[in-house]
Amino acid sequence: MTHSKKYIYLKYTIITALLSIAFITNLSSQQTPAERLVGNWYFDEVSSFATMDTRSRTQMDTIPQLKSQVLNSYRGRRLFISQDGSCSLALANGQTAVFSWSLANDGTLTLTNANGTTVQESVRVLTPNRLVLVPSAKGNARSIIAEQHFIRQ
């Protein structure tokens, strides 16, 4: 059984491509979680609002103005995380908040503003294209959204 040169070349090209993909995937998996966190993240409102608890959802549905206000405060958010330890949260209305950030070994992301106020969130999911943050509850205060989903773009 003989194969044409064209067949052998095609087989060689496919094998080379598969090995290249495996090598690149292996390199990206060797990044630390902090390195994978660096990038531009866009708020995924559909996935995020799906995590809202029933009580909050019911309350928002009964007060349309509140619902609109809450949706608009989250919609269009962009989180920019830099390798130098700085990050910014840009809102759809043009406002931007600047923070420094650090990531602990347990997956706790700490954001610190210029006044020294800190916010902590748990990194629940961190893949090359998806970030899910769970806001830390303090006392009776809790976020209306249980998980903030972001997509890398």
Side-chain angles (χ1 to χ4, degrees):
M1 175 183 202
T2 61
H3 296 289
S4 69
K5 286 183 181 181
K6 193 176 197 180
Y7 173 79
I8 293 171
Y9 178 74
L10 178 63
K11 191 174 182 179
Y12 174 77
T13 303
I14 291 171
I15 290 171
T16 303
L18 290 174
L19 288 174
S20 297
I21 290 169
F23 179 73
I24 290 169
T25 302
N26 187 35
L27 282 179
S28 67
S29 68
Q30 292 176 1
Q31 289 181 312
T32 66
E35 290 169 333
R36 288 195 310 265
L37 196 58
V38 171
N40 299 329
W41 299 94
Y42 293 82
F43 185 71
D44 178 359
E45 65 184 75
V46 173
S47 297
S48 296
F49 285 115
T51 68
M52 187 181 299
D53 65 75
T54 306
R55 189 177 126 233
S56 297
R57 186 180 308 279
T58 302
Q59 185 177 20
M60 282 184 32
D61 287 342
T62 59
I63 308 171
Q65 185 179 7
L66 174 64
K67 183 176 184 174
S68 176
Q69 188 177 13
V70 169
L71 292 175
N72 288 334
S73 71
Y74 281 94
R75 189 172 283 139
R77 286 185 177 198
R78 296 178 319 276
L79 182 62
F80 304 102
I81 301 176
S82 299
Q83 195 169 9
D84 66 1
S86 65
C87 72
S88 62
L89 177 65
L91 306 180
N93 67 5
Q95 291 181 322
T96 301
V98 178
F99 302 92
S100 62
W101 70 273
S102 63
L103 183 64
N105 289 336
D106 68 355
T108 300
L109 175 64
T110 302
L111 303 174
T112 308
N113 69 12
N115 297 329
T117 304
T118 62
V119 173
Q120 292 187 326
E121 304 199 12
S122 295
V123 177
R124 173 152 305 157
V125 175
L126 178 57
T127 67
N129 60 357
R130 181 156 293 277
L131 169 64
V132 178
L133 298 176
V134 178
S136 297
K138 290 188 178 180
N140 291 333
R142 62 180 172 81
S143 176
I144 197 162
I145 296 175
E147 296 179 349
Q148 296 181 44
H149 292 246
F150 292 88
I151 299 169
R152 186 189 309 268
Q153 293 191 354

